[in-house]
Structures are given as structure tokens and as C-alpha cells.
Amino acid sequence: MKISVVIVNYNVRNFLEQCLHSVFEACKGIDHEVFVVDNHSLDGSQAMVKSTFPEARLIENKKNLGFSKANNLALKMAQGQYQLVLNPDTLLEENTLRKCIDFMDAHPEAGALGVKMIDGRGKFLPESKRSLPTPATAFYKMFGLAALFPRSKRFGKYHLGYLPENGIHQVEVLSGAFMFLRKEALNKAGLFDEDYFMYGEDIDLSYRLLKHGYKNYYFPGTTIIHYKGESTKKSSINYVKTFYGAMLVFIRKHFAHKENSLFYLLIKLAVYLRGFISVSKRLGARCFLPVTDALLIYTGLLAMTLLWENIRFSGEYFYPPLLKQVIFPFYVALWMTGLFLAGAYLRSSNLRNSILGILFGTAAILILYSLLPIHLRFSRALILLGTASSMVATALSRVTASLLRISEFYLFQQPVARIVFVGYPQDSSRALSILDSIGQPYVFAGNAYDKKKAPEPGWLGNMADLEEIIAINRVNEIIFSSGNLGLSQIIECMNQLNKKNIRFRILSADGKTIMGVNPGRKEMLSLGTG
């Protein structure tokens, strides 16, 4: 057996399906076995594997065992000379496994190998190559020096930013998303440390391979796509707890020696500090708009009151404290409720949402105003002035949040996708049907594919003409057909166009699903999904 592929899955059925398609395509001509370890998914993953990939060896866990334990179940049974630990949200080129095998065969000193990874936007993922989080390296990363000086040999060592991404390098740490292991080396170094539930286990294993005399290589001779839902998973407090907890386990296990005791204490403090900052930032991002809206709306009411008193009552303080201390907060609460009901606090919103929300709140205020005792009806004019100032205030807060990348705000509506489909017309109609089924607005520019015969309606040019096609048709989204194109072709196009601010998505070979990245999160669309 030449290679064993191990994939741990947890509730990512559609990504797993496309990953397995790419794996079995890459395994052609190679003596192989493929394990899928399912951590008690509830999305039909097990049934999909059984029906679509009966040749895969499925291990069904009764609960979520985490990354290390689940991988170890399969690695203990795997017979391959090489063993690939792979994330389910990845896609391999057709020659990925053959190239990795050839490299490892030619380098018997190599214990493990990692490849160049790009995300769903075609951007290079820096975790493709890393160094050990020694106390000093971890310190530089924790306190932001690595981000300030990413190409420094000292401060930027964590992601080895000073090493070219297209060169072969000996590195210390490989990513668990794609970890190509020599079985002989794994037998000596041991399997994944099950003290880690998720995160950190790849660092630990990489380090143990080095300690047993093997070398780890970063090999950019092949590229894979790794769809990462970083913004989604990192927004949870559980992520922060798990990630920083894993780092503490690693440092305590390998670097908490007497000579490093001071550094260990500093790193431990930094870990807790970064964890606190991360949680605070995420909570702050969630609260930013509501808190800012409430403050600006209330401030606007106070300003409108002063203005109205100057106009109507010659600058005298006409209104009692009760208005500002009780009635105004009540108005603010009603406007905030209207904003919530109008969808103004969704991740993406437009001016219409905030205006409708304020109008809903104003309607509620006026209705309740008419029901109040006469001595509590201070001024309808203030309500109308407050409505105007609140519209300005909420627009201002959303523009600010958009500039800070806390949320997305559009004056009228989200820009319509202008799409080119790279593949044949019969497949483009399937992709457009999926977009129609979820109600996504778009403008379809046409198809691009290599064609020797006379052009057909909707044909824009060959793949070699994509840059020109994008410019002429003002394209902001490309959908690739994996049924017409190899993953190598798709990845090559993504690498060439990733600086064009183009959104990339891929139609599955069966034409039933589209995968991609939708600002900040990975997504999988299929017929009937909303």
C-alpha cells in the first residue's frame, strides 16, 4: 500500500463530498486506501459517504472525539507507506499525491511534508509553513511584533514570512489541514497527542518528528485549496478558549523547563491576555452597532431638544428633566426595536434597513404618545426631529462600522454579482439555477472556455483571455466548472487572478453544489438551499 488518506469530518457534508471527489481523482494509478472518520455528524455525512464513496472506509464515532483521537483511530489501521492527514474543506490537484510521493521517495530523511495552500479567494495561506512557537517566537506573535514585521527573520519567524512561498524549504511545523507523513517516521515519533482536542496537535507532532531526527519540508510543487471559515469560528468564545488552551498545553509540555521558566510565565500571561483581548474584540464587534446607535440617537435627541428650545422658546430650558431621563430612553428603546426588526443589525445591511427601522420606531412612538396622559405628551415636534437625527445617526454608525470592517453597509443594496462561468454552457445553466433557487441577484456575462469551432451565443473567449474578459465585462465573480476543468487549471487561474478582487466559486462535477467564500466565511450552496 503506497498511501493512506485520513479525513476527519464533523458536519461539513457537502465540503467532504467535494474533497473526496478530488482525493479519489488524485489517487488514480496509486495503490491507496481512504479513511473517513466521522465525529458524530448530524448532517447526513455518513449516509453520503456510504452511498457515493463505498470504497472509502468509514469510521462512525458516537460522539465528537476531537481531531487527535479521531485521526488516531484511522492511523492505527492505516497500512500505507505514506499517510496523509487531510481536512474535509480542502481540494487537491489531480497530481498532488503523485508529486508528494515522488518528493518523499527522493528525500528519505523527510518525516513529513506540507504543500502550498490557498484559500477560497486564491490568497496564499501563511500557515502553509511555520516555525515552532518557542517562547521567543510565541512572545513576538502574541505581542504583535510578527504582524508589524512579517518578513523579519526574528520577529516574523512564526509564519516564516522571510522564506519565499514558491521555494522548497525545510521548516519546523506543518499544518494539520494537509500533513503528508512517512509511516516509518510516524511509528517512531508516535501518533497525535490526544491531550489536544483541536489545534496544536500538528505543532506537537511536527516537533516530535524533528526530535526523532527527521526533517519537515514545505513543498510548493503542488497547491491545494483550503476553505477556511476563520471569521466564523474565531468569532466564538469557544474557539478562543480551545486555541489558546492548546498553545498553553504545547508550551507547558515542551518549554516549561527551569531555564525557560520566566519566558513560560510571560507567554502564559500573554496567552491569557490575548484570549481576553480576542473575546473582548468579538463581543465589542457584536455590540458596536447597537451601543453606537443608542448613544448617537440619544445624543441626537438632546441636540434636537436644545435646537427646538432655541427656536420655539428663545433658548429657555422649557422641558423638565423627566423628558431626558425617562421619556427619551423609552423612545430610544423603541427605535432600537424597530432597527432590529428591520434587519439593520444583520451582518450586511443597507440604508433602507436603517430608515425603515427608524420609521417603525417612530410609528410605535406616535401611537404610544397618543395613549399617554396629557402631562406626559411633551412635543410631537421633538419626535419628528428625533426621527430625522436618528436616521442620520444610524447611517453614520454603519458607515463607521463598515470602515472598521465590523459589518458591511451599502447605501442602497449589495452590489450585484457580475458573473463569468468558466466551463461549458450546459453546466453554467446548472450554476445559475442554484443561484436562482437561493434568490441571489446577479448579472450573467457569459461563458469562457477553450473553443476551436465557431463561437456560440454567450461565448466570451478562451480561458487565456480571462483578464481581458474581466476588464471588458466588469466581472467581479468567476464560477469554475470542476466537471469541465481539472483542479490544477482552476488553481492556476485563481493564482493568476487573486489580485483582481474577484470572488471565486466552484461548481461541483455533478452540478448540484457551489462552494466558495462569502466575505469572511466559507459557504456551500445547493439547489433548494436558502
Side-chain angles (χ1 to χ4, degrees):
M1 185 75 63
K2 194 67 176 178
I3 185 169
S4 303
V5 181
V6 177
I7 303 171
V8 173
N9 175 70
Y10 181 62
N11 287 327
V12 286
R13 175 190 179 279
N14 289 326
F15 279 95
L16 173 65
E17 183 176 4
Q18 302 314 313
C19 175
L20 286 169
H21 276 301
S22 75
V23 166
F24 281 108
E25 184 67 27
C27 282
K28 287 182 177 179
I30 304 172
D31 188 17
H32 68 276
E33 60 182 353
V34 177
F35 292 85
V36 176
V37 186
D38 187 82
N39 269 335
H40 195 54
S41 296
L42 302 176
D43 63 350
S45 292
Q46 303 97 322
M48 181 277 295
V49 173
K50 291 175 183 176
S51 62
T52 310
F53 303 98
E55 63 270 50
R57 299 179 62 179
L58 177 64
I59 300 173
E60 300 179 71
N61 293 328
K62 301 302 181 184
K63 63 179 181 178
N64 184 359
L65 298 180
F67 185 84
S68 296
K69 287 184 179 180
N71 270 299
N72 287 349
L73 289 176
L75 290 172
K76 289 174 183 176
M77 295 186 283
Q79 298 299 312
Q81 177 187 352
Y82 300 114
Q83 304 186 349
L84 171 62
V85 173
L86 186 68
N87 272 19
D89 56 349
T90 57
L91 294 174
L92 309 185
E93 291 182 314
E94 294 78 7
N95 57 9
T96 291
L97 299 183
R98 173 52 60 194
K99 285 188 173 183
C100 290
I101 289 171
D102 290 345
F103 183 90
M104 294 289 279
D105 283 348
H107 295 78
E109 78 282 3
L113 174 148
V115 299
K116 181 178 179 180
M117 298 189 295
I118 60 174
D119 64 14
R121 295 177 292 272
K123 306 294 184 184
F124 174 70
L125 291 172
E127 59 265 36
S128 300
K129 51 181 174 62
R130 288 179 291 171
S131 68
L132 286 169
T134 61
T137 302
F139 182 85
Y140 299 143
K141 178 174 172 55
M142 291 290 176
F143 285 97
L145 292 171
L148 287 173
F149 308 102
R151 299 196 178 278
S152 165
K153 286 190 176 182
R154 171 175 295 208
F155 300 125
K157 192 176 180 182
Y158 185 80
H159 281 132
L160 301 172
Y162 54 89
L163 296 179
E165 65 185 61
N166 291 318
I168 297 173
H169 307 288
Q170 287 185 36
V171 298
E172 293 173 326
V173 174
L174 302 173
S175 170
F178 182 104
M179 207 168 188
F180 199 96
L181 299 153
R182 189 183 300 276
K183 181 175 176 59
E184 171 192 309
L186 191 60
N187 289 340
K188 292 180 180 178
L191 302 179
F192 286 108
D193 188 333
E194 297 182 2
D195 285 344
Y196 302 90
F197 182 81
M198 186 180 296
Y199 310 118
E201 62 286 306
D202 49 0
I203 301 175
D204 187 274
L205 179 55
S206 295
Y207 185 46
R208 284 188 280 119
L209 287 169
L210 295 176
K211 290 174 71 174
H212 280 79
Y214 290 97
K215 296 178 180 178
N216 299 328
Y217 282 93
Y218 165 70
F219 175 64
T222 182
T223 302
I224 71 167
I225 301 174
H226 180 206
Y227 290 101
K228 296 179 56 177
E230 287 301 317
S231 294
T232 302
K233 70 183 183 181
K234 288 186 179 180
S235 65
S236 68
I237 295 176
N238 185 58
Y239 165 81
V240 174
K241 178 182 177 182
T242 305
F243 179 80
Y244 288 110
M247 185 163 285
L248 278 177
V249 171
F250 179 80
I251 293 172
R252 182 170 61 248
K253 179 178 177 181
H254 296 290
F255 294 107
H257 309 303
K258 288 183 179 180
E259 60 271 22
N260 288 315
S261 57
L262 178 59
F263 249 140
Y264 174 68
L265 289 175
L266 286 173
I267 296 303
K268 189 172 183 179
L269 176 63
V271 167
Y272 285 125
L273 179 61
R274 281 297 298 267
F276 174 77
I277 292 173
S278 296
V279 171
S280 300
K281 284 174 64 178
R282 282 148 183 78
L283 291 176
R286 292 181 183 180
C287 298
F288 178 84
L289 274 180
V291 171
T292 304
D293 282 344
L295 290 174
L296 289 178
I297 291 172
Y298 184 74
T299 302
L301 279 171
L302 295 179
M304 291 299 101
T305 302
L306 288 174
L307 176 64
W308 186 243
E309 285 177 331
N310 276 314
I311 295 172
R312 184 74 174 80
F313 304 106
S314 303
E316 294 183 12
Y317 293 104
F318 179 79
Y319 297 105
L322 177 68
L323 177 67
K324 300 174 183 178
Q325 296 173 3
V326 178
I327 302 299
F328 279 177
F330 181 66
Y331 289 175
V332 171
L334 290 176
W335 273 316
M336 295 288 292
T337 302
L339 288 168
F340 176 79
L341 294 175
Y345 294 115
L346 297 176
R347 168 80 182 169
S348 177
S349 65
N350 55 47
L351 189 60
R352 179 176 175 273
N353 298 120
S354 56
I355 290 176
L356 281 178
I358 294 298
L359 291 177
F360 288 159
T362 300
I365 290 170
L366 290 172
I367 291 171
L368 291 172
Y369 181 88
S370 65
L371 301 176
L372 289 173
I374 191 68
H375 67 280
L376 294 179
R377 299 182 201 173
F378 293 104
S379 174
R380 286 188 179 88
L382 286 180
I383 296 174
L384 297 179
L385 288 170
T387 298
S389 68
S390 296
M391 288 182 180
V392 174
T394 52
L396 179 62
S397 67
R398 276 147 187 77
V399 169
T400 303
S402 181
L403 291 173
L404 295 174
R405 298 185 178 182
I406 294 172
S407 65
E408 297 166 14
F409 177 67
Y410 306 96
L411 281 179
F412 301 105
Q413 61 181 9
Q414 185 172 349
V416 174
R418 296 185 61 84
I419 297 172
V420 161
F421 184 84
V422 181
Y424 296 133
Q426 62 268 29
D427 288 323
S428 67
S429 62
R430 295 178 183 176
L432 299 180
S433 295
I434 294 174
L435 299 182
D436 289 335
S437 73
I438 63 170
Q440 177 176 323
Y442 63 87
V443 173
F444 180 56
N447 298 282
Y449 55 94
D450 294 342
K451 184 173 177 59
K452 297 179 181 179
K453 299 179 182 178
E456 298 174 351
W459 181 75
L460 301 175
N462 295 324
M463 287 181 64
D465 306 319
L466 269 177
E467 289 198 44
E468 188 176 352
I469 291 170
I470 290 168
I472 292 172
N473 295 277
R474 294 179 290 119
V475 171
N476 56 20
E477 180 170 323
I478 293 176
I479 301 178
F480 296 101
S481 170
S482 63
N484 305 149
L485 306 170
L487 261 298
S488 300
Q489 289 176 283
I490 294 173
I491 289 173
E492 183 180 358
C493 282
M494 292 173 67
N495 278 327
Q496 291 174 351
L497 302 173
N498 64 17
K499 292 182 173 62
K500 297 285 185 181
N501 198 27
I502 301 292
R503 179 180 178 185
F504 301 114
R505 295 202 276 197
I506 300 174
L507 177 70
S508 62
D510 59 12
K512 294 180 180 179
T513 56
I514 296 175
M515 67 172 68
V517 173
N518 187 14
R521 67 181 187 277
K522 59 188 179 184
E523 66 175 4
M524 179 70 77
L525 308 177
S526 60
L527 283 170
T529 63

